[in-house]
Amino acid sequence: MSFTLLARGDALNVYDYRCDVGLGAKPFVERHGHASISFVRKGSFGYRTRGRHYELVAGSVLVGCPGDEYVCSHDHVCGDECLSFQLAPQTVDLLGDHAAIWKIGALPPLPELMVTAERAQSAARRGDALALQEAGLLMASRFVGLAGRAGKVATAASDRKPAIDPARDRRRAVEAALWLEAHAAEALDLDTIAARWGLSPFHFLRLFARVLGVTPHQYLVRCRLREAARLLDDPARSVTDIAYDVGFADLSNFVRSFRRAAGVSPGVFRRAAKAERKILQERIAAYSLG
């Protein structure tokens, strides 16, 4: 495991974590030092904490609770990359009294968080520490708003679902998610995808959703939206071209889907990146620990 500090501040620090652990490597117990939100941007890994096991793929969010022990494993894929936002205690307090959400372990790929995280990714690629901190605070704020609802849904689903075969079913679901991410721009259908893993569409749909917390279609759309958010950072590309390039069949569907995820249209999202800077600078100052 290697890590790089990308941005340091009173409100939060941002790290780039890269793990190249091989398949089946012996995991070891670690401990969270801060409340954290870690966005999986590449690869996959298993995460066990508080007696629960999660399979995290690109777009998933690992939630760290200070003092909690956890174990990460690589049973299906070699290595992963994460963008991790480590929040100061005062920042957590200012986000509100939501102690329970830091104990939910992980969240499946949610479009609202994936789009926001892609903005942070863009800032990281540019080496813009300020923009990266701003995006991190936006993501933390949005996470607090979403995590309570998503955590309750995930817990209820976990309580209802039958046991799964960890060696076979988890491997199939993770491999399918990685394949969908790599082919997200293509025209795909459930029958074709399920056949790749030797399953009927019904059984594939049930397995995928049970392991990863989202349906194949939901994950496919979220992969497309995540890529669109990244491409919107390039002013030379038109919104229409981006919609088709990432796999949407028509512009109106792309705009509706993006608006639901980001809260604004693709055009406003592109223009808002700079306009929000002053507001977020003031927010960072308010979070200062002195």
Side-chain angles (χ1 to χ4, degrees):
M1 167 75 75
S2 64
F3 64 90
T4 303
L5 176 64
L6 301 179
R8 181 189 297 277
D10 290 334
L12 79 168
N13 294 333
V14 186
Y15 292 87
D16 176 2
Y17 283 96
R18 296 173 184 252
C19 180
D20 58 1
V21 172
L23 297 178
K26 184 178 180 180
F28 57 91
V29 177
E30 301 178 77
R31 187 184 299 272
H32 290 293
H34 302 83
S36 61
I37 307 166
S38 299
F39 178 74
V40 184
R41 58 186 186 184
K42 185 177 181 181
S44 172
F45 60 97
Y47 175 60
R48 183 177 295 278
T49 187
R50 292 181 169 268
R52 290 183 177 272
H53 183 92
Y54 307 86
E55 291 293 345
L56 305 185
V57 295
S60 299
V61 174
L62 185 156
V63 183
C65 182
D68 274 9
E69 293 185 343
Y70 66 96
V71 174
C72 292
S73 58
H74 291 82
D75 297 328
H76 316 302
V77 178
C78 179
D80 59 87
E81 297 180 10
C82 293
L83 191 62
S84 182
F85 305 95
Q86 311 278 332
L87 307 179
Q90 288 86 340
T91 304
V92 175
D93 291 342
L94 287 167
L95 288 171
D97 185 14
H98 304 287
I101 68 171
W102 301 101
K103 300 176 183 179
I104 64 175
L107 288 178
L110 299 176
E112 300 90 342
L113 292 179
M114 293 176 77
V115 168
T116 306
E118 196 54 50
R119 178 173 292 180
Q121 291 256 77
S122 177
R125 284 190 293 267
R126 299 194 306 270
D128 189 335
L130 176 58
L132 186 54
Q133 288 179 308
E134 293 173 354
L137 289 175
L138 279 175
M139 186 165 182
S141 178
R142 178 159 278 192
F143 161 78
V144 168
L146 291 169
R149 171 176 55 82
K152 290 177 182 177
V153 171
T155 299
S158 177
D159 292 340
R160 290 194 306 267
K161 69 187 181 186
I164 62 174
D165 183 323
R168 183 185 63 181
D169 291 352
R170 286 197 174 113
R171 182 180 66 251
R172 282 176 169 175
V174 169
E175 289 177 350
L178 294 171
W179 188 87
L180 282 173
E181 182 189 14
H183 296 82
E186 301 175 13
L188 301 172
D189 62 80
L190 186 60
D191 289 351
T192 301
I193 301 169
R196 290 186 60 87
W197 279 271
L199 295 170
S200 70
F202 173 77
H203 284 94
F204 175 75
L205 173 62
R206 187 173 63 175
L207 181 150
F208 193 98
R210 195 169 59 194
V211 174
L212 299 178
V214 292
T215 68
H217 179 259
Q218 287 172 329
Y219 187 68
L220 178 64
V221 171
R222 292 167 194 188
C223 287
R224 290 170 174 171
L225 292 174
R226 178 186 173 202
E227 177 66 4
R230 184 185 70 82
L231 295 177
L232 285 167
D233 195 50
D234 180 1
R237 301 180 72 119
S238 72
V239 171
T240 300
D241 286 344
I242 290 173
Y244 293 129
D245 288 347
V246 301
F248 282 89
D250 65 85
L251 180 61
S252 60
N253 185 30
F254 167 64
V255 172
R256 284 195 304 271
S257 299
F258 195 93
R259 187 188 297 274
R260 283 196 298 267
V264 295
S265 69
V268 172
F269 181 87
R270 168 179 275 170
R271 295 191 298 272
K274 293 183 179 179
E276 289 174 350
R277 184 176 300 276
K278 183 177 180 180
I279 296 173
L280 290 166
Q281 284 174 326
E282 294 172 353
R283 190 173 299 173
I284 289 174
Y287 288 171
S288 174
L289 308 185

